[in-house]
Amino acid sequence: MNSIVNLPHDDHSCGWYAALPEPRPARRLTGEQKADYVVIGAGFAGLAAARRLAEHMPQARILLVDAQRVGYGASGRNSGFVIDLPHKFALEHPEPQHKQRLLGLNRAAIDQLQTLIGRHAIDCQWSHAGKYQGAVGERGLAYLDHFEKLLADLGEPYRQVERQELAGVLGTDYYSRAIFTPGCYLMQPAALVRGLGASLPQNVEVLEESPIQRLEKDAGGNWILHGKEGLIRTPKVLLGTSIFTQEFGYLRNRLLPVMTFASWTRPLTDAEMASVGVQADWGLTPADHAGTTVRMTQDRRLIIRNTYKHVPRYGRSINDSIRQKVREDHCAAFHARYPQLAHVPFTHTWGGVYAISRNFTNFFGKLDEGVFATACDNGVGAAWGTISGTLLADKVVGADSQRLDDIQSVTGMPSRNPPEPFLGLGVRSRIRWAAWNSRSEL
């Protein structure tokens, strides 16, 4: 028997979600249900898994269950990048084939999302905008030089963008230089996730606001999923639960819950856009991974994202005073870049929890008899969640492919964490040390 200890507890101030119309009333888990497959977690991974299962098994009853509303959790809280390149740490992998497999998987995810957005007319600010990776000072420039070498070794296209040209896009000369890579897409994450949930095949039933609190097996070998007001019996469970996978008793002491934060402004006026010479619809990530991400949305909102926290109790680890300090830090980063826009307020500040592992390894595959999972996206969840959820469904039904071979070859077991209190002390110290070292890039 596996019992959940902590449930999602996200803040109520996610700008992406607040910008959407009110959703339809939630359908919740009540009574006793039976299903051929149950997918827990309606983020990118769970949505992709449920869709693929339905395509393979059109006569099956598939339940997709989430503790919150679709689009409200981590998948709807990121900065809206769908990145094709392997993560910075994965780019340093010694085997070229490993990196090429990751690249192929990410691009397959982008193709999949683009097809679904077009087929179902999902309004989510989808844009093939590419991505800038920017450096402020010497530390950032050293990282940028390293990034350029990794791209050259990978054989991927890129372009150096110097300060003046970059300022013509960003509306600020804060950055010394950037590297532009063309394969990234931008989007409104909560809108995309909600749109994916609304366009699932007919044999997928979505149950929202229905936290699963306990898993156990019955005498016949089926799984019983216990909710607050009902239960589900099923032979197969797919977990698209990221960091919360450990709450079901799996991958415990192998995942690290980290929260990162973002703030955004109201939409800028024509006069404000012109006053700084900023263009709409671009995204910049920091060359120094502990630096600041900046985005301009299609509807002219500027986003600042930085600050990381170790959150062993997820959202309950964060209080109002911490959020206020985060907003102040975001204001400082915003004003440093756009002093002419100091009068423009932030309307929302929010956090999102994701899972990392000490060896930067993603888990994919079987956890128990009848239980499968993709977990630990290491901070690049949109593309990875989409392709890993899709291929997890393939694995469950026995649909072999080269892509399935690829994902199984680049995933493994996240390494064990040291016990508390040493884990918490170590993670907090490392985050503080990274922030101190990267202060010139914030």
Side-chain angles (χ1 to χ4, degrees):
M1 182 183 297
N2 301 318
S3 299
I4 283 190
V5 177
N6 294 297
L7 293 169
H9 187 74
D10 288 311
D11 56 58
H12 300 298
S13 55
C14 177
W16 296 118
Y17 194 85
L20 300 180
E22 281 294 313
R24 294 179 179 178
R27 180 188 171 192
R28 298 182 179 89
L29 170 60
T30 58
E32 183 169 338
Q33 305 287 331
K34 292 184 179 179
D36 298 293
Y37 303 91
V38 176
V39 181
I40 304 177
F44 284 111
L47 288 161
R51 185 183 299 275
R52 188 66 149 210
L53 284 173
E55 292 169 354
H56 283 305
M57 303 291 181
Q59 304 306 315
R61 187 186 188 204
I62 300 161
L63 296 181
L64 174 59
V65 188
D66 198 277
Q68 303 182 118
R69 299 305 304 264
V70 173
Y72 197 83
S75 290
R77 291 171 174 266
N78 61 63
S79 295
F81 293 82
V82 190
I83 300 173
D84 61 331
L85 294 170
H87 190 274
K88 294 172 187 174
F89 298 105
L91 272 176
E92 296 175 340
H93 197 280
E95 295 181 13
Q97 189 175 20
H98 180 95
K99 292 182 280 192
Q100 290 295 339
R101 283 171 172 156
L102 288 171
L103 191 63
L105 291 166
N106 289 341
R107 287 180 173 161
I110 290 172
D111 290 345
Q112 183 175 323
L113 288 171
Q114 182 153 285
T115 297
L116 292 171
I117 289 165
R119 179 182 300 160
H120 301 290
I122 299 173
D123 183 8
C124 63
Q125 301 183 27
W126 182 257
S127 170
H128 188 184
K131 180 178 72 71
Y132 296 92
Q133 187 144 303
V136 179
E138 290 184 7
R139 179 180 172 86
L141 288 169
Y143 275 104
L144 203 63
D145 290 342
H146 181 56
F147 181 55
E148 182 176 4
K149 181 181 183 302
L150 293 173
L151 288 175
D153 290 345
L154 191 60
E156 283 298 302
Y158 67 91
R159 184 169 63 86
Q160 291 190 25
V161 185
E162 299 299 332
R163 186 191 300 270
Q164 186 174 357
E165 180 186 353
L166 190 60
V169 176
L170 309 186
T172 176
D173 61 1
Y174 189 78
Y175 292 92
S176 300
R177 183 161 56 90
I179 287 176
F180 178 81
T181 51
C184 177
Y185 284 69
L186 302 178
M187 47 81 179
Q188 208 278 38
L192 175 54
V193 174
R194 186 184 287 185
L196 293 170
S199 61
L200 289 166
Q202 290 186 346
N203 61 324
V204 179
E205 302 170 48
V206 181
L207 303 176
E208 300 175 277
E209 297 180 347
S210 301
I212 300 301
Q213 299 176 308
R214 183 160 52 91
L215 302 182
E216 66 175 336
K217 268 196 171 180
D218 66 14
N222 287 320
W223 286 97
I224 307 173
L225 286 60
H226 294 268
K228 287 183 178 179
E229 300 177 5
L231 60 84
I232 309 168
R233 295 182 186 272
T234 182
K236 294 285 195 304
V237 179
L238 285 72
L239 299 177
T241 44
S242 185
I243 187 62
F244 296 98
T245 305
Q246 62 189 1
E247 301 298 335
F248 293 98
Y250 300 111
L251 303 180
R252 280 189 173 167
N253 303 318
R254 295 183 183 274
L255 306 179
L256 293 169
V258 175
M259 182 176 285
T260 186
F261 299 84
S263 296
W264 77 3
T265 68
R266 59 161 170 75
L268 301 185
T269 65
D270 289 344
E272 288 163 345
M273 295 281 288
S275 71
V276 295
V278 63
Q279 298 181 19
D281 195 27
W282 50 263
L284 179 145
T285 58
D288 180 348
H289 65 273
T292 296
T293 294
V294 186
R295 257 208 70 189
M296 168 64 85
T297 66
Q298 287 185 7
D299 58 351
R300 300 178 167 187
R301 300 175 187 269
L302 276 164
I303 300 173
I304 298 290
R305 188 190 77 179
N306 60 37
T307 310
Y308 298 85
K309 301 287 184 185
H310 176 229
V311 285
R313 297 179 62 245
Y314 315 122
R316 287 182 171 84
S317 297
I318 303 300
N319 55 37
D320 289 341
S321 65
I322 292 175
R323 273 186 284 269
Q324 179 58 37
K325 177 61 168 61
V326 167
R327 179 178 284 222
E328 291 170 1
D329 291 344
H330 289 173
C331 282
F334 177 56
H335 295 162
R337 289 160 175 79
Y338 299 100
Q340 309 98 310
L341 300 178
H343 63 283
V344 178
F346 286 138
T347 60
H348 298 80
T349 297
W350 65 93
V353 183
Y354 63 96
I356 64 173
S357 60
R358 293 173 63 236
N359 58 350
F360 298 102
T361 297
N362 313 87
F363 180 84
F364 175 92
K366 186 175 180 180
L367 287 169
D368 201 343
E369 194 61 42
V371 180
F372 302 81
T374 171
C376 197
D377 57 40
N378 284 301
V380 286
W384 184 259
T386 298
I387 195 62
S388 66
T390 299
L391 294 172
L392 189 68
D394 287 354
K395 181 176 180 63
V396 169
V397 302
D400 293 333
S401 68
Q402 183 59 55
R403 292 288 184 217
L404 183 56
D405 290 343
D406 287 344
I407 200 168
Q408 291 180 136
S409 72
V410 298
T411 53
M413 181 60 71
S415 60
R416 284 192 177 276
N417 300 325
E420 293 288 4
F422 305 107
L423 174 62
L425 289 170
V427 174
R428 290 190 294 273
S429 297
R430 183 169 180 176
I431 289 174
R432 285 194 295 267
W433 180 247
W436 172 257
N437 284 333
S438 305
R439 62 194 183 280
S440 62
E441 299 296 311
L442 291 171

